[in-house]
Amino acid sequence: MSQATRSACKVNTTCPYCGVGCGVTATMADGVLSAVEGDRDHPANFGRLCVKGSALHETLGHHDRLTTPWVDGQAVDWNVALTTLAERLQATRAAYGAESVAAYLSGQLLTEDYYVANKLFKGFLGTPHLDTNSRLCMASAVAAYKRSLGADAVPCNYEDLEEAELVVLVGSNLAWNHPVLYQRLKVAKTRNPLMRVVVIDPRVTDSCEIADLYLGIAPGSDAVLFNGLLAWMAENNKLDQLYLDRHTESFDEALLAASHHDINDVAAMCDIDPERLETFYYWFASQLHVVTLYSQGVNQSTSGTDKCNAIINCHLAGGKIGLPGAGPFSITGQPNAMGGREVGGLANQLAAHMDYHTSGALDRVTHFWATETLTPELPQAPGYKAIELFDAVERGEIKALWIMATNPAVSLPDAVRVRRALEKCPLVIVSECASHTDLLAYADIILPATGWSEKDGTVTNSERRISRQRGLLPAPGQARHDWWIICETAKRLGFHEAFDYTHPHEIFDEHARLSGFENDGESKRLFDISGLVGLGREGYDALAPIQWPVTCSAPHGTARLFEDGEFATHNGRAKFIAVTPRLPEQRLSDAYPLRLNTGRIRDQWHTMTRTARAPRLMNHRYEPFIELHPNDAANYGIGDQQLAVLSAPSGAYRGRVRISNAQRRGEVFIPMHWSDAFSKSARSGAMLKAITDPISGQPEAKHGAVALAPLKTAWEATLLIAQPLEDNSQQEAPPWCKSDYWARVPMQGCQRWQLADAKPVHNWLALLAKWLPDEASLWCEDSGNGRLRAAAIVQGKLRWWLMVGPPRELPGLAWLEARFNETTISDKHRRRLLAGGEYGAADTGPVVCSCHQVGQAAIVNAIRAGDTSVEALGARLACGTQCGSCLPELKSLIEEERSHARAKQASYTEVA
Ligand SMILES: Nc1nc2c(c(=O)[nH]1)N[C@H]1C(S)=C(S)[C@@H](COP(=O)(O)OP(=O)(O)OC[C@H]3O[C@@H](n4cnc5c(=O)[nH]c(N)nc54)[C@H](O)[C@@H]3O)O[C@H]1N2
Ligand SMILES: Nc1nc2c(c(=O)[nH]1)N[C@H]1C(S)=C(S)[C@@H](COP(=O)(O)OP(=O)(O)OC[C@H]3O[C@@H](n4cnc5c(=O)[nH]c(N)nc54)[C@H](O)[C@@H]3O)O[C@H]1N2
Ligand code: SF4
Ligand SMILES: [Mo]
C-alpha cells in the first residue's frame, strides 16, 4: 500500500453517550477509525474524554449489527420493507383512525431524525401519540422549568460550575455519569480552595470524593429538604427581596407551603443530622454563586416536578440565577435529549418549543408545514406520554407502534407488562443498530439503522450547545440513516414533497427556520436558532459548537439565560411553585420491606448494546449485582459475593451481592444495564411499578419495593468459550442458559459465562459433553469439595475453559483471554492452562482502571508497599493517569487500606 493511502486524517465529531456532549477527534486511516481523543477546542471538554468516550473506537465493527431489513421474520430488501411498512401503516389508519398509530423515540436520535419523525407523525399522520424515552429521564426537569421559568430552558452552562462558590449535587452521581464535567468541577475546586461541594444522595457515591458535606438523605425526601431551605432562608433574612419584588411572583404561597416544619423535623424526615443540615442551609443561603445540579435521583420520582421546583424556588428566593456561577442546573442524560425537546418530540409538545395550547401554535405549525389540505389535520391536543402510550397499546387502542433507538422492553418500568403489550400489538416496527436486543423479538418489521461514526447530524448537550456528529464510516450492509428511513416511508405514504430531503443539512435548515417562524411579540419563544438558517451544506459541515438561542441579535449564541431577570413567562416574572412534599408511591410492606434504588455504573451505557462491545469496559462490573448494607446482609444471612434474588410483585432480579457501607440500611441498589441478552433475570425495569408523576408523566424508577433472599446454589461455574465464527444472531440460547443463574460477559476473543444452579451435577464431564461440541482435553477434579477445572484444545487452539467453584477462586482472566487469541497454544502454556496463569503470577483482581486495565489486587499491594497517594499509584501502575474516572475508587481503596491499618493498630494496642 502506498504511503499516501496510509496517511491518517483527523475529524471532529461528538461523543454519542452522555449529555456532557464532549467533542471527539477521530483518527481515520485507510477508511478505518483507528483512534479517538478528546477535541481540544470543544468547549464541553477541552480535550478530555471519560473511559466510555475513549473506548469508542473499540465498539465499532460489523459483528452483531443489523445489516438487513426484516419483515415477519424474513430478510427482505429496503423496497419491500418500506412498501410493506407504508401499506400496513396506511391500512391501520384507514381501519382504526389516525390515532391508532404511534411512535416512541429516543434522546439518542439526532435532531434531524427527531425533526422528521415529529413532522411525519404529528404533522402528516395526524396523531399526537409520539413520545420518547426522555419521558423516563428529563420530563420532570422540563415540566418544572416550564412552570417556573416559562420555558424548557437550562439557564446555566458548564463554566458556571467552575465559577460557583458552592456546587450542590442532588440525586446525581456526576463522577460516573457525567465524568468529564466531574473532572472539570474537580479541577475548579483545586484552583479555588474556597469552593465547596455538597452531595445529596441516599448512597455514598464516587462523587463524594470531592464533597465537603454529604447528606445521605432518606430516599424521596428531597422536597422536604429544599422546602426546609426556603423556610430557613426566610427566617434568617437570607432572601433577595429586591429580586423577589422585581422578577418573581407567588413567593408567599410557596413559603407558606414550605413552612410547616422546623429544622429538626426536617432533619428527622430526611433522616439526617440536624447540624449537618443547618450547615448546608447556611452555606447555600450565604453564597450568591451557587449551582444546584440535579438529575435522576430527583427527576425519576412521582413528585419529581415538585422536587425540581422546590430547588428552583430556593434559587429564585436568593436571586441565585442568571449570574455567572449560579443557577438550577438540570443535567441532561442522553446525548440529544435536549435536541429532542427542541423539535417537540414529547407527546405534550407540538413542535419547536410550542405546546398545543401555546397561542396560535396550531395555525403556525400547520402553515409552516403546509398541512392545510390534509385530513386529518394536526392533532389538537397532547398525546399519550410513554407509560400511558404502552397502556393504550395493551388496551388495543394503538395498533401500530414505531420504536426508534430505545429498548422499552428493558428500560420501562413494569417491563413484563410492556412485553405483553408489545406481543398484542398488531404492528410493531423497530429501528435499531444492534442485532441482539430484547425488543427485536417483538418486532414485525425490523429496520437496520446506522449508528455513531456512520450518522451525520446535530446533537444538543446539557448546556444548550449544538454540536455536529459527523459521518466517518460507511454503513454496515444495508443499514440506513434514521432520517432517510422516516422520509422514505413518508414518501411512500404520499407525502413526497414535504419529505424530499437529500441531506440532513436541509432538515436542520427547516428546523432552524421553524424555530424563528413568527417568533416575536406575543408569541415569542426562547428556543430560536434562526441565526443558523441558510448555512448550506458547507456551513453545516463546518458548524462549530454553539449555544442556543442563536439569533440576529445573538449570532454567536447565548452562554447564559435570564441575565436581565426577564423570564419566558407571560409577564416576564419567574413563578414560585408551592410544593407539598409527597412520599414515594411504591410503598414498603412486610412482604416487600426493602427500598429499591436503581441507576448506572461507570463503564456501561444503558442496555449495553454498545459499551459491551468494548471488552475492557466489562471488567469494572462484569455481572449484575445487588448492593447491600452489611447489617442487612447479616440479617438475611447473605455473604459478600454470594448470589441472591430480589423479588417484587412484577418480577425478580438475580445478581451477586456486594456488601457495602455506601448503602443505607433497608435499601438496596441495582444497576439498570442488564437485559435478557446478558443475564438470566436481571432487568431492573421488571422490578418497578409503572407509577408516574402526575404532571410530567415520569416514572418512579428510584423507589421500588422488594424482598431479598439468598439464591440457593449447589454449584457455581465460570465457562470461557471461544467466539463463534459466524454471527450468532439467529442462534438459539446455549444449553447452559437453563441454569438458575447465568451472566454473559463478552471478552476479547471469547465469551465468559458465569453460571450457577441449585441441582447438583454428579458427572461434570458427561454434562460438558452434552453442552459443548469439543471434548475436554485436560481436566482436574476434586470431587471432595466439588471443584473441577477443564479445558478443550482443538488443533492447537483453545476452544473452552471451565472452572467449577465460586468465582473468587478464579485466576486473573487476562492470561486466559490471551490464550484464546493465540493460533497455537505452546506446551509451556498448555501446562499452565488449568491453573489459568504463569506459575507464581499474582492475581490482579477485578479491574479498577479500565484505561490501563489495572486490577484491585495490584493496587492494594502497591498501597501496602507504600504508595499512599493516587499520584504514587499512577507513577507505579499507570492507573488513573488517562481519563481519571477511577480516581475516586483509587482514593477509597487508599482510605480503606488506611482504616484497615488503623484497625489493626488499634487491636495491637488493645492487646498490649
Ligand atoms: N456511565 C454512564 N453514564 C451515563 C449513563 C449510563 O448509562 N452510563 N446514562 C446517561 C443518562 S441517559 C442519564 S439520565 C444520566 C443519569 O445520571 P444520574 O442521575 O447521575 O444517574 P443515576 O445513577 O440513575 O442516579 C443518580 C443518583 O440518584 C440517587 N438517588 C436515588 N434516589 C434518590 C433520592 O431520593 N434522592 C436523591 N437526592 N438521590 C437519589 C442514586 O443513589 C444515584 O446515585 O446518566 C447519563 N450518563
Ligand atoms: N430501572 C431503571 N430504568 C431506567 C432508568 C433508571 O435509572 N433505572 N433510566 C431511564 C433513563 S434516564 C433512560 S435515558 C432510559 C434509557 O433506556 P433505553 O433508551 O431503552 O436504552 P438504550 O440501551 O440506550 O437503548 C437505545 C437503543 O437504540 C440503539 N441505537 C443506538 N444508536 C441508534 C441510532 O442511531 N439509531 C437507532 N435506530 N438505534 C440506535 C441501541 O443499540 C439500543 O438498543 O432508561 C430508563 N430506564
Ligand atoms: S463524559 Fe459523556 S460525552 Fe464525555 S466522553 Fe464521557 S460519555 Fe462521552
Ligand atoms: Mo436518561
Side-chain angles (χ1 to χ4, degrees):
M1 203 169 291
S2 78
Q3 211 49 42
T5 49
R6 274 169 182 275
S7 68
C9 72
K10 303 223 172 199
V11 187
N12 288 334
T13 180
T14 310
C15 176
Y17 296 124
C18 83
V20 180
C22 295
V24 172
T25 303
T27 305
M28 301 291 304
D30 293 334
V32 174
L33 201 169
S34 56
V36 290
E37 61 194 310
D39 175 354
R40 272 162 225 209
D41 298 323
H42 197 291
N45 56 317
F46 296 108
R48 293 184 188 86
L49 288 182
C50 77
V51 63
K52 295 183 298 302
S54 56
L56 271 169
H57 58 298
E58 297 164 40
T59 64
L60 307 175
H62 292 184
H63 63 282
D64 295 344
R65 284 290 300 271
L66 278 172
T67 52
T68 178
W70 295 78
V71 172
D72 301 333
Q74 298 290 321
V76 296
D77 64 25
W78 272 108
N79 191 34
V80 173
L82 293 167
T83 308
T84 315
L85 168 51
E87 279 169 9
R88 290 191 190 174
L89 278 182
Q90 201 67 288
T92 308
R93 296 174 75 221
Y96 304 103
E99 299 208 4
S100 64
V101 172
Y104 184 57
L105 313 182
S106 156
Q108 292 168 73
L109 290 169
L110 303 181
T111 301
E112 292 74 3
D113 303 328
Y114 242 124
Y115 179 86
V116 287
N118 196 54
K119 182 176 176 184
L120 174 62
F121 277 82
K122 291 183 189 154
F124 287 76
L125 295 177
T127 172
H129 305 311
L130 173 141
D131 209 39
T132 152
N133 67 356
S134 292
R135 184 70 59 195
L136 320 179
C137 181
M138 305 313 301
S140 296
V142 171
Y145 275 145
K146 285 168 81 168
R147 278 208 295 188
S148 178
L149 313 181
D152 170 18
V154 176
C156 317
N157 60 45
Y158 297 162
E159 277 174 15
D160 288 333
L161 278 176
E162 294 165 331
E163 289 178 37
E165 296 292 331
L166 173 68
V167 174
V168 190
L169 302 182
V170 195
S172 149
N173 183 8
L174 201 70
W176 278 11
N177 300 326
H178 299 94
V180 164
L181 211 48
Y182 176 78
Q183 297 293 337
R184 283 182 66 167
L185 179 60
K186 196 168 145 179
V187 171
K189 193 164 188 286
T190 341
R191 291 203 182 128
N192 174 9
L194 295 179
M195 181 197 266
R196 291 201 181 100
V197 173
V198 177
V199 172
I200 304 177
D201 192 312
R203 220 162 46 104
V204 180
T205 63
D206 270 14
S207 306
C208 294
E209 180 208 11
I210 55 166
D212 299 282
L213 179 68
Y214 164 67
L215 301 178
I217 60 168
S221 62
D222 303 78
V224 177
L225 187 137
F226 281 93
N227 261 2
L229 172 57
L230 188 69
W232 194 92
M233 287 168 75
E235 256 166 50
N236 292 278
N237 286 328
K238 298 287 188 185
L239 302 173
D240 184 337
Q241 200 58 52
L242 204 61
Y243 197 86
L244 289 184
D245 294 345
R246 285 204 184 147
H247 301 301
T248 70
E249 63 180 15
S250 308
F251 173 71
D252 293 342
E253 291 89 321
L255 182 62
L256 189 67
S259 301
H260 291 307
H261 306 288
D262 71 14
I263 192 159
N264 288 314
D265 288 346
V266 171
M269 285 188 275
C270 298
D271 193 19
I272 48 177
D273 174 45
E275 276 180 33
R276 290 170 81 91
L277 181 64
E278 187 147 25
T279 304
F280 166 59
Y281 284 0
Y282 178 75
W283 286 358
F284 187 101
S286 43
Q287 289 292 354
L288 181 58
H289 301 279
V290 181
V291 172
T292 306
L293 188 143
Y294 50 99
S295 189
Q296 301 315 328
V298 171
N299 296 350
Q300 287 173 341
S301 151
T302 40
S303 53
T305 310
D306 278 351
K307 287 175 180 168
C308 296
N309 278 121
I311 293 172
I312 298 171
N313 283 348
C314 296
H315 277 268
L316 292 172
K320 303 171 208 290
I321 184 169
L323 292 168
F329 194 165
S330 144
I331 183 91
T332 317
Q334 297 176 93
N336 199 31
M338 178 89 84
R341 285 142 67 182
E342 288 158 16
V343 306
L346 287 159
N348 48 308
Q349 299 177 315
L350 177 58
H353 271 219
M354 282 173 276
D355 287 342
Y356 286 91
H357 60 75
T358 307
S359 147
L362 278 166
D363 284 346
R364 186 176 308 123
V365 176
T366 302
H367 193 57
F368 185 84
W369 281 340
T371 54
E372 287 90 347
T373 54
L374 291 182
T375 5
E377 52 193 358
L378 284 191
Q380 302 294 302
Y384 292 134
K385 299 179 178 127
I387 302 292
E388 300 162 343
L389 177 64
F390 282 86
D391 286 348
V393 173
E394 195 183 27
R395 284 197 305 274
E397 201 179 310
I398 301 287
K399 307 276 185 197
L401 177 64
W402 191 343
I403 301 167
M404 302 180 202
T406 177
N407 194 344
V410 181
S411 55
L412 276 178
D414 203 354
V416 179
R417 184 155 157 237
V418 168
R419 290 174 181 222
R420 267 204 314 271
L422 288 169
E423 239 158 44
K424 277 173 60 180
C425 185
L427 178 56
V428 177
I429 306 140
V430 175
S431 300
E432 171 61 58
C433 308
S435 58
H436 298 82
T437 82
D438 292 9
L439 182 64
L440 293 177
Y442 302 88
D444 302 286
I445 300 183
I446 298 175
L447 306 168
T450 51
W452 183 83
S453 77
E454 298 144 10
K455 315 185 60 153
D456 227 338
T458 55
V459 288
T460 310
N461 74 1
S462 297
E463 54 167 1
R464 290 173 281 104
R465 195 181 294 280
I466 299 170
S467 296
R468 285 281 277 108
Q469 252 190 41
R470 295 192 169 86
L472 307 169
L473 296 174
Q478 297 184 57
R480 292 287 179 275
H481 303 314
D482 287 297
W483 70 265
W484 181 91
I485 301 172
I486 298 158
C487 292
E488 287 304 306
T489 308
K491 288 178 194 166
R492 282 169 171 78
L493 286 164
F495 313 124
H496 200 278
E497 210 176 310
F499 290 87
D500 195 18
Y501 309 98
T502 58
H503 186 268
H505 85 265
E506 296 165 0
I507 304 173
F508 183 81
D509 193 69
E510 185 176 313
H511 166 55
R513 277 193 291 117
L514 176 55
S515 78
F517 185 59
E518 297 178 2
N519 189 349
D520 45 27
E522 283 282 285
S523 42
K524 179 103 193 99
R525 282 119 44 207
L526 201 56
F527 176 69
D528 185 344
I529 53 166
S530 51
L532 298 174
V533 170
L535 290 176
R537 171 84 189 259
E538 243 171 68
Y540 179 77
D541 278 343
L543 183 67
I546 187 162
Q547 283 170 294
W548 64 259
V550 188
T551 57
C552 54
S553 53
H556 304 295
T558 312
R560 192 172 298 104
L561 298 176
F562 315 124
E563 285 181 311
D564 53 2
E566 187 68 20
F567 291 89
T569 49
H570 66 280
N571 59 2
R573 286 170 176 268
K575 191 169 163 55
F576 277 91
I577 304 293
V579 170
T580 306
R582 283 176 285 130
L583 290 171
E585 295 274 334
Q586 295 171 83
R587 295 288 151 84
L588 302 183
S589 62
D590 289 345
Y592 302 105
L594 294 171
R595 184 53 85 199
L596 178 75
N597 182 1
T598 71
R600 292 157 171 79
I601 62 174
R602 195 189 73 192
D603 292 2
Q604 289 303 327
W605 178 261
H606 296 168
T607 66
M608 314 202 297
T609 57
R610 291 181 286 164
T611 34
R613 294 162 68 90
R616 75 179 158 107
L617 297 183
M618 289 302 304
N619 291 339
H620 181 237
R621 299 276 188 276
Y622 59 85
E623 249 182 321
F625 61 86
I626 302 168
E627 240 155 34
L628 187 64
H629 187 275
N631 292 10
D632 290 327
N635 284 347
Y636 285 92
I638 301 177
D640 192 34
Q641 299 301 315
Q642 209 175 314
L643 291 169
V645 55
L646 292 174
S647 29
S650 52
Y653 173 103
R654 296 174 190 189
R656 200 172 296 281
V657 165
R658 297 174 61 91
I659 297 182
S660 163
N661 281 313
Q663 281 298 126
R664 289 162 48 96
R665 288 188 66 172
E667 296 165 21
V668 295
F669 176 82
I670 59 171
M672 64 162 295
H673 305 286
W674 272 267
S675 66
D676 290 352
F678 291 94
S679 192
K680 171 101 177 179
S681 170
R683 284 183 291 114
S684 62
M687 309 299 289
L688 296 162
K689 285 195 181 151
I691 312 180
T692 57
D693 179 300
I695 299 158
S696 69
Q698 180 155 355
E700 188 179 66
K702 292 282 181 272
H703 308 304
V706 292
L708 171 72
L711 187 71
K712 286 199 188 72
T713 55
W715 55 266
E716 281 208 54
T718 306
L719 173 67
L720 307 183
I721 180 162
Q723 211 91 273
L725 291 175
E726 301 300 322
D727 171 48
N728 60 357
S729 48
Q730 305 303 318
Q731 275 180 12
E732 276 178 29
W736 50 83
C737 286
K738 294 208 177 76
S739 312
D740 293 337
Y741 174 83
W742 64 262
R744 178 171 70 87
V745 191
M747 294 173 70
Q748 195 69 49
C750 59
Q751 299 272 338
R752 167 179 179 183
W753 294 83
Q754 265 329 121
L755 308 171
D757 200 273
K759 276 190 304 302
V761 173
H762 299 294
N763 185 344
W764 267 102
L765 290 175
L767 180 66
L768 288 171
K770 276 199 215 150
W771 276 3
L772 296 152
D774 304 313
E775 241 174 62
S777 338
L778 312 162
W779 64 90
C780 92
E781 197 164 9
D782 179 352
S783 39
N785 65 3
R787 300 293 195 266
L788 170 91
R789 289 190 184 203
I793 299 171
V794 177
Q795 293 170 342
K797 266 189 85 71
L798 182 55
R799 299 296 304 160
W800 56 260
W801 183 96
L802 175 105
M803 179 192 93
V804 180
R808 70 182 129 76
E809 294 180 6
L810 282 173
L813 294 180
W815 186 88
L816 280 165
E817 193 177 22
R819 303 292 78 75
F820 276 98
N821 291 291
E822 283 175 343
T823 34
T824 315
I825 293 216
S826 67
D827 281 349
K828 183 173 143 232
H829 284 156
R830 194 186 165 103
R831 282 196 293 279
R832 298 298 308 163
L833 210 52
L834 294 183
E838 303 292 351
Y839 185 71
D843 175 9
T844 59
V847 167
V848 174
C849 169
S850 297
C851 295
H852 294 288
Q853 291 290 296
V854 185
Q856 186 173 332
I859 294 163
V860 169
N861 286 339
I863 298 170
R864 288 180 188 160
D867 291 345
T868 50
S869 69
V870 288
E871 292 76 17
L873 287 173
R876 188 196 294 253
L877 301 169
C879 51
T881 54
Q882 192 170 322
C883 79
S885 301
C886 66
L887 289 173
E889 203 162 331
L890 294 179
K891 272 200 187 156
S892 39
L893 284 173
I894 295 173
E895 219 19 73
E896 246 168 57
E897 279 309 303
R898 243 187 230 144
S899 57
H900 282 167
R902 269 199 298 269
K904 233 186 209 166
Q905 192 89 39
S907 68
Y908 287 144
T909 323
E910 250 167 53
V911 172

